[in-house]
Amino acid sequence: MRLRAVVEEVRGCGDAALLRVGAPEIAASAAPGQFVHIICGEDSPRVLRRPYSVFSVEGGTLGILLKVTGAGSRWLACRRPGDPLDILGPLGRGYASAAAGEEVALVAGGTGIAPLHFLAVELRREGVGCRLFWGMESASDFGHLPHRLGDLADTRLATMDGTLGAAGTVLDLLGDSGLDGVARAYACGPSAMLKPLHRLCEEAGIPLQVSVEERMACGVGACQGCAVPVVDDPPGYRMACRDGPVFPSVELDWERIE
Ligand SMILES: Cc1cc2nc3c(=O)[nH]c(=O)nc-3n(C[C@H](O)[C@H](O)[C@H](O)COP(=O)(O)OP(=O)(O)OC[C@H]3O[C@@H](n4cnc5c(N)ncnc54)[C@H](O)[C@@H]3O)c2cc1C
Ligand code: FES
């Protein structure tokens, strides 16, 4: 669905920003792990839309957590209340839920927290116990957000520079016992994090769903710009925008993923 949505609030959040966007039709049907595709600017290099996970849904308002990494995200972070936004969504396939009473692990790298935050809200509502592991570069990356997650999940943090939580990666944080007793795991982050996590979960016999961070163009399965290698006979591809971005990790061909 293509919408002319309206920015309601922009909150600076460390090196990131949290946008609240009035988009009732998208909010009504968005599920955790799905994304929206936003036109980020008026000039030619940015006419391609940029994909952003849904961070939250409150009534008719979508939350979008964004890290400034280039011209498009900078443009988005500079929006002001009342500004219009051209948004397509909700797009893609999200995470499959868990059963009430189960304990699950959510593993996020950097902005990978965005879809997992929405997922944690929904799982908590469904009576699922969440253990959230979140790794980032530094305490300043996301302002106060890391301190606000305690109500949502049993939250454990890691920073590469040791300024918040444990020093090291989110996988260091998981260690040997982080997945003990969990029925399933959910992750979003760079493939350097997802690959070893896939191996860890496979060895532990824990089903893992991952959201992959592919670069996207059309966002709807038409351009084949976001092909992800999958285990198939013969080896094939799926489109992250249409068939994902969430996949059961056993379906992906990790040997062919950079
Ligand atoms: C399904 C999906 C959900 C996403 N959700 C979020 C989110 O919730 N919050 C968030 O901050 N970012 C998210 N991203 C990444 C976000 O789309 C990119 O950061 C954004 O497109 C960069 O645009 P830009 O014009 O600012 O930067 P560009 O100038 O286009 O690129 C700047 C840098 O960002 C990297 N980059 C560009 N596109 C992507 C991409 N698709 N995935 C990963 N890295 C990219 C480039 O390699 C480069 O290093 C998501 C990406 C995908 C595919
Ligand atoms: S971005 Fe065009 S097919 Fe996925």
Side-chain angles (χ1 to χ4, degrees), residues 62-85:
L62 293 178
I64 294 166
L65 178 71
L66 69 96
K67 188 99 186 150
V68 174
T69 56
S73 44
R74 188 168 305 112
W75 181 90
L76 204 51
C78 292
R79 295 309 86 203
R80 291 290 163 257
D83 284 350
L85 271 190

Side-chain angles (χ1 to χ4, degrees), residues 179-239:
L179 295 175
D180 285 358
V182 306
R184 58 194 76 245
Y186 301 88
C188 183
S191 51
M193 175 199 113
L194 298 179
K195 255 188 197 189
L197 181 64
H198 163 70
R199 277 197 297 274
L200 207 63
C201 287
E202 213 175 30
E203 282 162 17
I206 295 169
L208 168 68
Q209 296 172 52
V210 298
S211 178
V212 296
E213 294 184 343
E214 280 303 314
R215 297 205 69 151
M216 291 180 180
C218 73
V220 291
C223 72
Q224 312 230 317
C226 63
V228 191
V230 291
V231 180
D232 231 338
D233 190 15
Y237 293 90
R238 299 270 190 282
M239 297 307 129

Side-chain angles (χ1 to χ4, degrees), residues 122-134:
E122 293 299 308
L123 291 177
R124 190 163 169 265
R125 204 196 317 272
E126 291 164 13
V128 177
C130 295
R131 240 179 259 174
L132 173 62
F133 300 86
W134 185 15

